[in-house]
Structures are given as C-alpha cells and as structure tokens.
Amino acid sequence: MTMTDTDRQTATPAMTLYGKMLTFSRLQLHTNDLSLIDAQLATTLSNKTSNIPVIIDSSVEQDLPALVEFLWSWGLQPIGAVTGILEEQARTQRLAIFPADGKRIERILPVKKPITQPAADSSAQATDSPNNTADALTTDSQASSASAATDSESWLPAEHITSMIYDQMLRSGQSLNHVGGDLILTNSINSGAEAITDNSLHVYGRAQGRLVAGATGDKDARIFCQVFNPSLVSVAGTYCLRDNIPQDIIDKSVQVRFVEGEGLVFTVMDGA
C-alpha cells in the first residue's frame, strides 16, 4: 500500500514539545538611563558579539522597546522579563514572562476536600454542595462551621498535584521534564542525560548528567540522590558545575537545597 503525501502529513506530528535545559542570564537594572547602563556594559563585556540570552529584571520603569533594541546592539538577546513592573510591556512585545525570585509560574496547593457521611439536616447538605465549597473555605471561622456540620473530613491533595515515577534508566541524550509534582527516578541517570522538575527531584540510583529541581523558581525544592555524581546540579535557578561540587560528597548519598545568602548547600545523608 502506497502512502500519499496527505497520509505522510497525518502520520508525522506537526510538532514535538520536550524539555531541554537552557542557559541564560538575569540582567538586573536599577536605572533607566541607557548611558549609565552602556558605561557599565562597556566594563563588563569584552565585545558586542557575546549572544548571551538574558531576561530583564528592573526595579524601575523602563521604555522596554528602546531597552530591547539597546541590548541587542550590545550583542545581548532579551528573551523575556520577570513579573512586575515590566510585565505589561513585555506581553505587548510578545516577550516571555518569568517568575520573580522565589516564585513559581504556577503552584497548585492542596485543597481541603471534606469526606462526609450523609447528613439529615438540609442546611448541612447545603454547606457541602459544590456551589458553596469556595465560600466554606474562605475564612477559618467558616471552615470551622463547615467541619462541625460533617461527621469526618480530611485533607486530600488536589488532583493536579502529581508526582511522576520513572523506572527506566535515563540514558545519554535523553531529557525527562516533569511539571506539577516531584520527579522520582528509581533507576540511574547516565552522563549526558538530564532530569528536570519544578518540584523536588529524587534519584534512587547513580545520578550523573544534569539534575534540576525547582526549575521555575521554587526555593523549597530539593534534590535527593542515592549516588551523587552529576555534571550540573541546579535548584531554583542557582546551579553548580561538576568542577565546583565538593569532591568529598561525590558518589555519596546527598541532599541538595537552596539557602538564601549561601546558594546551594550539599549535605551527605546518613542512612544509619
């Protein structure tokens, strides 16, 4: 059977969306005077052909189109701005919007879902009806009233919070990206592979390659590895290359977390 051009187009997906770690710099600005910025860039960059991707983080109002053109003239490539003062202009310019320090693009938290026994009182049934659920959770006092009207209730995780368990070895050239929960690998990560999550990363094997947790800025995210030997490790955007990782923790059971003012903190986990 011969395939037609239409059949081939149908069989071939129009696009593929996959995760890949990118390196970019955050440019923090405290003035909108381009001449002052120009002078400092002259002492910072050796040429105007660096082609460094940057996201703009400004504490003052900017003429964003003019600033973008100015940065391009210096060989910098503005790809977005952080949320805040420049967000509206960035959307108009079709630039990406990045979370501010310590924030995530989206954090779905557990919600309180009451598990109830049938109640004879119609008013209690009304409290538990879908139309009134949001109101019942608005304040502590209302929540207490709602709990009093039920025989039992407990906290359940929202259905959107999902940890991903990956049982296969992550081989060189492969990239595993998970959003919305912890990423748990029960096997090893080979050199040249990468595991990325916006929550915490757990590796119950030999962890090589690139390990990224808190990919969208969550500073509470952590990395746990049974055998720690990565080429790069990153938590909440702060990263450390293999050459800068303390040698005394290599191939040990290690926890990595971000501490404000200190950066990445590596702790050997004692299994005793």
Side-chain angles (χ1 to χ4, degrees):
M1 180 176 179
T2 303
M3 291 183 65
T4 66
D5 290 340
T6 302
D7 292 333
R8 291 191 183 92
Q9 291 174 358
T10 303
T12 303
M15 61 169 285
T16 301
L17 184 65
Y18 64 95
K20 195 71 176 177
M21 185 174 176
L22 301 176
T23 301
F24 55 83
S25 299
R26 180 176 299 221
L27 181 64
Q28 292 186 317
L29 300 175
H30 307 292
T31 179
N32 54 17
D33 188 332
L34 295 184
S35 63
L36 294 178
I37 300 173
D38 183 78
Q40 187 157 351
L41 284 174
T43 64
T44 303
L45 301 177
S46 59
N47 57 64
K48 294 188 176 183
T49 59
S50 62
N51 295 322
I52 300 173
V54 297
I55 60 173
I56 303 169
D57 182 2
S58 181
S59 60
V60 297
E61 190 67 53
Q62 301 279 349
D63 180 349
L64 189 57
L67 177 60
V68 167
E69 289 298 322
F70 168 76
L71 294 177
W72 272 102
S73 74
W74 263 99
L76 302 176
Q77 301 179 11
I79 60 175
V82 302
T83 55
I85 198 168
L86 296 181
E87 184 173 350
E88 184 175 346
Q89 288 191 75
R91 293 188 187 279
T92 302
Q93 294 293 308
R94 296 294 190 267
L95 293 176
I97 307 298
F98 290 83
D101 282 335
K103 302 296 182 182
R104 297 173 62 183
I105 293 175
E106 181 182 9
R107 175 128 189 180
I108 305 174
L109 297 174
V111 296
K112 199 173 187 182
K113 292 185 176 181
I115 304 174
T116 66
Q117 299 293 331
D121 188 348
S122 60
S123 63
Q125 292 175 348
T127 301
D128 291 329
S129 67
N131 293 333
N132 293 315
T133 300
D135 292 338
L137 300 177
T138 302
T139 65
D140 290 339
S141 60
Q142 289 172 318
S144 298
S145 298
S147 63
T150 64
D151 294 327
S152 64
E153 69 178 24
S154 64
W155 286 88
L156 295 178
E159 57 272 15
H160 293 95
I161 298 179
T162 55
S163 293
M164 176 180 180
I165 299 177
Y166 188 79
D167 292 321
Q168 302 177 38
M169 178 178 291
L170 199 61
R171 303 187 183 280
S172 180
Q174 292 183 317
S175 176
L176 184 61
N177 194 328
H178 178 62
V179 176
D182 288 4
L183 176 58
I184 303 166
L185 292 93
T186 62
N187 212 314
S188 296
I189 302 175
N190 283 351
S191 178
E194 63 183 14
I196 304 171
T197 177
D198 63 338
N199 280 47
S200 293
L201 175 65
H202 309 253
V203 184
Y204 296 101
R206 185 174 176 81
Q208 301 183 92
R210 295 177 291 275
L211 313 177
V212 180
T216 56
D218 183 7
K219 294 183 178 180
D220 292 327
R222 301 190 181 193
I223 296 175
F224 303 91
C225 295
Q226 190 167 11
V227 183
F228 185 74
N229 191 2
S231 59
L232 176 146
V233 60
S234 173
V235 177
T238 298
Y239 67 90
C240 184
L241 298 175
R242 177 67 170 79
D243 291 344
N244 296 320
I245 295 174
Q247 293 302 302
D248 60 340
I249 67 170
I250 297 299
D251 288 337
K252 294 185 178 178
S253 181
V254 171
Q255 174 191 172
V256 187
R257 58 194 175 96
F258 175 83
V259 176
E260 196 72 50
E262 298 182 36
L264 297 186
V265 174
F266 303 86
T267 305
V268 174
M269 296 185 290
D270 188 354

